[in-house]
Amino acid sequence: MSRFRGLWQASVNATKRALSWNLEDLVPPNEKYIFNFSSAEELKRWHLYSDSEYGGLSSASLEIQNPVNGSSCTGLFSGNLSLDINESSKWNISRSGFCGMRSKKFDGFIDLDAYDTIALKLKGDGRCYISTIYTENWVNFPGQQEDNSWQAFVFVPKDNWYIAKIPLARYLPTWREGGFPGAKSGPGDFHIEVDWIKALRSQT
C-alpha cells in the first residue's frame, strides 16, 4: 500500500508540473535576450583578454556608458591594438595584435536550441570584428580541454547604430583570417559600443 501511495504521489507531482508549464515553455518567444548592457552589473559577466598576457602590447577595457538624451546604458569595449612585442617577454611569439571580451560561464551553457540567429545592436569604428560562440565538447581528445569555438565576422559601420544579424549556420568551426572589403584593420585604437545581444527565432 505504501508503495502504491508513493507512485500515486509521484504521478500527482508530475501532473502539477505539467499544468504549471506556461506558453513560453511550449513555444519559445521569437527573441531572447542573452546579454543586455543596462547596468554596471553586466560587467561582472565578462572577461577581457589580449596579447599582453603573452608579451604583446595591446590593451582593452570594458565600461558602461551612461544614458544620453533618454537612451539606455550601453557597454563600450575599447583599447589599442599593437603589433609590437615586449622585448623582455618570456613567451616565444613572433606575432601579436589581438584583444577580446568573453562572457563567463556562471550557470553553464546558454540553451539556444530553439533559435537560428544571433543579433547584436552595435555602434563602432568601421572595423571588422569576430563573434565567437563556444559549445561544449561532446568528444574529448587527449590534451583537448577547451570548448569548441565557432566564429563569424561582423562588420560594424562607423558612428551609427547597426543591428547585425548572424545566422548560426554562418558560424565556422575554425578561425580564418579575413574580413569585409573596406573594413578598417591593423594596429591602432578601436572602439565598439554594444547595446544588447539577442537570440532570434526567424523560422516558425
Side-chain angles (χ1 to χ4, degrees), residues 108-128:
F109 286 89
I110 300 170
D111 186 0
L112 298 179
D113 283 349
Y115 302 93
D116 54 59
T117 302
I118 296 296
L120 308 92
K121 186 176 179 181
L122 309 166
K123 182 168 68 172
D125 51 10
R127 284 182 177 268
C128 183

Side-chain angles (χ1 to χ4, degrees), residues 18 25 43 47 61 74 91 115 142 162 190:
D25 294 320
L43 301 182
H47 164 73
S61 66
T74 58
W91 297 91
Y115 302 93
Y162 168 73
F190 67 88

